[in-house]
Amino acid sequence: MSTLMAAPSTLTDEQLARNLQTQFDKEYAEHEARKEKDLAMARAISKAHTMSESDDSDTDNVRVHTGSEDLFADSNDDEDDILKSIDAKGLQLSTTKKSKSDGKDAYKLKEKEPSQEADLYNADTDIEDDSNEDSKANLSRSTKKSVCRYGSKCYRKNPSHVEEFYHPTKRKSDEPATCSSDKKAKIQSSKSTKQKTSSDMFTAFQPFSFFLTKVKDIKNEYNSAGALSLKDILSETMGKLQASCHFNFMFDMEWLVRQYPDSARQLPMLLVHGEQGRDELDMKAEAQNFSHISLCKAPLDIPYGTHHTKMMFLLYSSGLRVVIHTANLIPNDWHQKTQGIWISPVFPALNNSSEKGDSPTGFKTDLLQYLTAYRSAKLAPWERRIQAHDMTTANVHIIASVPGRHTLSHKNSWGHLKLRKVLSERGPDPTRVQNWPLVGQFSSIGSLGPDKDAWLTTEWAKSLNSCKGSSMMQGIGISQPKLDLIFPSMDNIRVSLEGYNGGGCVPYSIKTASKQPWLTQFFSQWKSEGRGRSKAVPHIKTYTRHSPDGTQAAWFMVTSANLSKAAWGVLEKKGSQLMIRSYELGVLFLPQYYGYKTSFPLSSKVEDIVEAEKATFPLPYDLPPTTYVRGDRPWFIDVPCVDLPDTFGLKWCPPL
């Protein structure tokens, strides 16, 4: 509270008391407003850690495995043992706080020191040079301050935090491993971000136009080629904006507006969301602070569904651009995580309104079909804008999911059956790819059934296994290839740039895992040495079919869809209908649209991609996949990790 001013002597005691009370009430209201803002940020972080992201409902009563259990080995450990272990180590279960919101399990960062936690993810999406860090640290060293627990990796911008805590300089041991000095010099000299505009970065990675998000605290060469920040995407060099529309699961409006250039921060913006209950009220209240932002609620008619699609429409004076990506519109998702982005060319306006303006992939038709599924008048202006633009240059197929029980021909328009349809019509030659493995890579897993044949290999994988000329009926006559599922292990999360906290966006629960221990046989580690992102937690979701040596792909897909029935759909009534709970959207790359006959070359090595004579697809992870070995276990968001500290020397102690 500020110091109260003395009242004039002419005031009566009653008037003085009333004035004092009025001033107190005003300052208390301001205090409560600041507190509510901090709590709103805490709720946003909580939602970032939710287990509902494309996950199925999970209400069965089952035995829960313990955190120390190795799913590859027999074990009789139970929850009591873990509790005793934690108690013996004197650990407190206060690192996270579990709450219930609209029937969803959510995981919050502890709300101690709210002024710090509220600013935890308030980071810019631009990657800046920290060349002055040594001088700043030397200045701080002369003062007596407590050492910030995040040390040199801290990126808080709150002045009060900087004033209170000392931040040491980076040690050489903190620096991520780099490539050889020759390659480093070559890439840095030719790919310096300071010499390139967003448009240059975009042009350099054509024709595939697939990018990763920039990541703080990795070597510059991994951000200077094939990587963009949100500010890069929205920059004026990409086009002069007139209006925009964002489809997403989570929004931080204040932060989102700051990612726009100054000239575009008051332009019309539509946010398409799936919020309900208290979250919807909070979102409406936040939107009232921005006169140029309007909201569109996606109908969610089936329980446990989410609006998980992540897409942007960017309307320029010169045309329309579509961006399909994997990141929530919150700062944490664009800071130190691995995310994927597909960016379309600028589609010009049609010269003749009678022209269809669609591509050989049917991109425009499929996009309009997807928008129509929202049944919203607020999206009608964007439907008209899409109709009015020439999208013949789109070279990807849209693979989308919308909630519903889809029957007859409609069921082949969505989910894994849409992927099956496209691959059976335009996919690879079955004789060429019969020994080519399938790879699924994702950040969350739903309930898939009591064994692999319940859905994974008999329904879902057979859609991914479809080839040109194969039957739509369960992929009859096609042998099942090797299936690799890339999912972060506990150690992947522990040594990540964000430590255990980075696992908040990988919400696989032990309750779900305990019902499907058979799934672990398919698991591989997250490894991205070629892109410098082995320590950047993957929130990206991708699926592909690659050659045994990992140098060619028959197809590749980036999408919002995790490995769940809610996202991809499940066949019901003897295969006559496909039930989908959530909205999802992705794009499928096929070789024939990029000048190749049967497959396209791919690599995860930045230098190989940049220097290749032929267009090479920029793979986000390394091949071949690194299979789990005995002792490895998947990351579980709700299992304590108390044996080994993470990057920051912390342990993970969620409520049991």
Side-chain angles (χ1 to χ4, degrees):
M1 298 286 180
S2 62
T3 305
L4 298 176
M5 301 296 293
S9 58
T10 56
L11 295 179
T12 65
D13 290 344
E14 183 179 350
Q15 289 173 320
L16 176 60
R18 188 162 49 248
N19 288 349
L20 290 172
Q21 184 63 45
T22 299
Q23 188 166 350
F24 176 83
D25 290 343
K26 179 180 178 181
E27 294 191 1
Y28 181 76
E30 292 174 352
H31 169 75
E32 288 296 299
R34 289 193 298 270
K35 181 179 177 182
E36 179 59 30
K37 184 177 180 180
D38 287 346
L39 290 176
M41 177 59 73
R43 283 196 296 270
I45 295 172
S46 166
K47 188 173 178 183
H49 293 183
T50 184
M51 292 197 298
S52 65
E53 216 183 65
S54 286
D55 205 352
D56 295 309
S57 62
D58 215 347
T59 56
D60 298 335
N61 294 320
V62 296
R63 176 184 177 274
V64 177
H65 289 271
T66 67
S68 60
E69 183 166 0
D70 176 6
L71 294 185
F72 284 94
D74 295 332
S75 175
N76 294 319
D77 293 343
D78 58 23
E79 292 179 355
D80 290 337
D81 292 332
I82 286 189
L83 287 170
K84 292 174 183 176
S85 174
I86 294 173
D87 185 60
K89 296 177 183 293
L91 301 174
Q92 295 179 348
L93 298 181
S94 60
T95 302
T96 58
K97 180 179 180 180
K98 187 176 181 180
S99 67
K100 281 282 187 177
S101 174
D102 295 333
K104 303 173 183 177
D105 288 338
Y107 291 80
K108 294 184 179 179
L109 296 174
K110 68 174 180 180
E111 295 177 331
K112 182 181 179 182
E113 302 172 357
S115 62
Q116 294 182 41
E117 297 301 348
D119 198 54
L120 178 60
Y121 296 133
N122 191 19
D124 204 330
T125 62
D126 279 347
I127 305 301
E128 300 172 353
D129 186 8
D130 293 331
S131 58
N132 294 326
E133 187 174 337
D134 288 342
S135 60
K136 293 177 183 177
N138 290 333
L139 186 62
S140 298
R141 195 176 293 113
S142 63
T143 64
K144 294 182 179 180
K145 300 179 182 179
S146 300
V147 178
C148 173
R149 64 172 177 165
Y150 294 100
S152 63
K153 295 181 180 294
C154 179
Y155 52 83
R156 290 169 175 75
K157 297 183 179 180
N158 190 333
S160 64
H161 175 78
V162 177
E163 183 70 22
E164 183 177 357
F165 292 94
Y166 163 59
H167 298 80
T169 57
K170 290 182 179 179
R171 301 185 304 269
K172 289 184 178 180
S173 59
D174 292 331
E175 296 293 334
T178 183
C179 56
S180 68
S181 58
D182 290 342
K183 290 180 179 178
K184 173 183 175 182
K186 189 170 185 177
I187 296 173
Q188 285 184 333
S189 63
S190 63
K191 294 294 177 181
S192 172
T193 53
K194 294 182 179 179
Q195 299 173 356
K196 284 182 171 291
T197 66
S198 303
S199 180
D200 293 333
M201 296 278 283
F202 172 74
T203 302
F205 264 58
Q206 300 306 312
F208 293 107
S209 199
F210 175 64
F211 304 86
L212 301 182
T213 52
K214 289 181 177 178
V215 174
K216 180 72 172 177
D217 289 335
I218 65 174
K219 289 296 183 179
N220 182 62
E221 58 259 36
Y222 300 122
N223 283 323
S224 62
L228 295 169
S229 69
L230 184 53
K231 278 191 172 182
D232 290 333
I233 297 170
L234 299 173
S235 71
E236 293 178 332
T237 64
M238 296 289 281
K240 185 174 178 56
L241 276 168
Q242 294 183 335
S244 59
C245 176
H246 294 276
F247 297 70
N248 219 293
F249 180 66
M250 292 181 62
F251 298 88
D252 181 334
M253 294 181 207
E254 182 179 355
W255 172 84
L256 175 58
V257 170
R258 291 202 308 270
Q259 307 315 303
Y260 281 76
D262 291 342
S263 60
R265 290 186 179 179
Q266 295 298 321
L267 296 176
M269 184 193 307
L270 178 65
L271 305 183
V272 185
H273 67 93
E275 301 291 16
Q276 302 180 66
R278 171 68 182 275
D279 290 336
E280 183 182 5
L281 294 176
D282 288 346
M283 190 172 187
K284 287 181 177 179
E286 186 180 4
Q288 290 179 354
N289 298 321
F290 305 94
S291 59
H292 66 296
I293 292 180
S294 55
L295 305 178
C296 173
K297 181 179 178 179
L300 288 164
D301 301 328
I302 300 182
Y304 306 106
T306 61
H307 183 259
H308 202 234
T309 290
K310 296 168 178 67
M311 175 169 61
M312 309 176 198
F313 295 151
L314 304 176
L315 181 65
Y316 304 119
S317 55
S318 58
L320 176 69
R321 192 191 299 278
V322 179
V323 180
I324 295 172
H325 60 104
T326 66
N328 290 294
L329 289 173
I330 59 174
N332 182 34
D333 267 27
W334 294 79
H335 186 66
Q336 287 186 312
K337 289 181 170 52
T338 303
Q339 307 276 10
I341 314 165
W342 174 81
I343 305 178
S344 80
V346 176
F347 299 124
L350 285 168
N351 295 323
N352 188 337
S353 59
S354 63
E355 296 177 357
K356 186 176 180 181
D358 204 354
S359 68
T361 65
F363 181 89
K364 183 175 182 178
T365 299
D366 288 346
L367 184 58
L368 287 169
Q369 182 186 33
Y370 177 78
L371 294 183
T372 302
Y374 283 83
R375 310 187 301 275
S376 174
K378 293 184 177 181
L379 281 172
W382 285 102
E383 292 182 45
R384 290 193 293 270
R385 287 164 177 160
I386 290 170
Q387 287 279 19
H389 283 82
D390 182 358
M391 298 187 171
T392 54
T393 55
N395 52 11
V396 292
H397 286 272
I398 286 179
I399 308 295
S401 295
V402 296
R405 286 182 163 84
H406 309 288
T407 60
L408 303 176
S409 61
H410 296 292
K411 75 177 188 293
N412 297 326
S413 299
W414 311 110
H416 73 80
L417 288 189
K418 173 61 182 294
L419 178 59
R420 182 182 298 186
K421 181 175 185 292
V422 174
L423 292 179
S424 64
E425 294 175 350
R426 310 186 186 193
D429 182 341
T431 60
R432 174 176 170 80
V433 301
Q434 60 180 349
N435 295 321
W436 289 28
L438 293 171
V439 173
Q441 177 271 309
F442 37 82
S443 62
S444 185
I445 306 172
S447 298
L448 308 181
D451 56 54
K452 64 184 179 67
D453 296 329
W455 180 80
L456 184 72
T457 60
T458 55
E459 183 177 328
W460 177 77
K462 284 188 176 180
S463 286
L464 276 66
N465 188 32
S466 294
C467 296
K468 189 172 184 179
S470 62
S471 170
M472 280 293 294
M473 297 301 295
Q474 297 292 326
I476 294 173
I478 302 176
S479 60
Q480 185 66 40
K482 183 178 186 292
L483 175 62
D484 291 307
L485 302 179
I486 298 177
F487 185 77
S489 68
M490 185 272 288
D491 269 344
N492 283 153
I493 301 299
R494 184 180 67 83
V495 302
S496 71
L497 294 170
E498 299 172 277
Y500 286 129
N501 265 340
C505 74
V506 188
Y508 191 29
S509 73
I510 188 64
K511 181 179 179 182
T512 302
S514 64
K515 295 189 298 182
Q516 48 198 38
W518 53 266
L519 185 61
T520 318
Q521 66 183 292
F522 297 101
F523 281 174
S524 291
Q525 304 267 0
W526 168 255
K527 188 175 181 181
S528 181
E529 293 297 306
R531 304 299 296 271
R533 286 166 171 78
S534 289
K535 294 184 178 181
V537 174
H539 189 258
I540 186 174
K541 295 90 173 156
T542 61
Y543 304 86
T544 189
R545 187 165 195 175
H546 65 86
S547 60
D549 63 359
T551 63
Q552 297 282 322
W555 55 266
F556 183 91
M557 180 178 173
V558 59
T559 177
S560 63
N562 281 304
L563 186 65
S564 74
K565 298 176 183 178
W568 287 96
V570 58
L571 289 168
E572 298 177 332
K573 295 186 176 179
K574 298 181 179 180
S576 64
Q577 70 180 22
L578 182 71
M579 191 275 285
I580 298 175
R581 297 183 187 274
S582 299
Y583 293 88
E584 308 283 359
L585 194 73
V587 292
L588 173 69
F589 301 81
L590 292 176
Q592 57 264 43
Y593 304 115
Y594 302 93
Y596 296 102
K597 291 183 178 181
T598 56
S599 63
F600 47 76
L602 49 74
S603 177
S604 66
K605 296 181 180 179
V606 171
E607 60 270 25
D608 290 350
I609 299 167
V610 171
E611 298 172 0
E613 294 182 2
K614 294 182 178 180
T616 299
F617 191 88
L619 199 64
Y621 48 79
D622 301 337
L623 289 178
T626 303
T627 306
Y628 278 28
V629 297
R630 187 178 183 85
D632 291 337
R633 73 157 175 85
W635 165 256
F636 301 127
I637 193 172
D638 51 352
V639 170
C641 298
V642 298
D643 293 331
L644 294 172
D646 68 4
T647 306
F648 303 103
L650 302 176
K651 298 181 180 180
W652 182 252
C653 302
L656 295 174

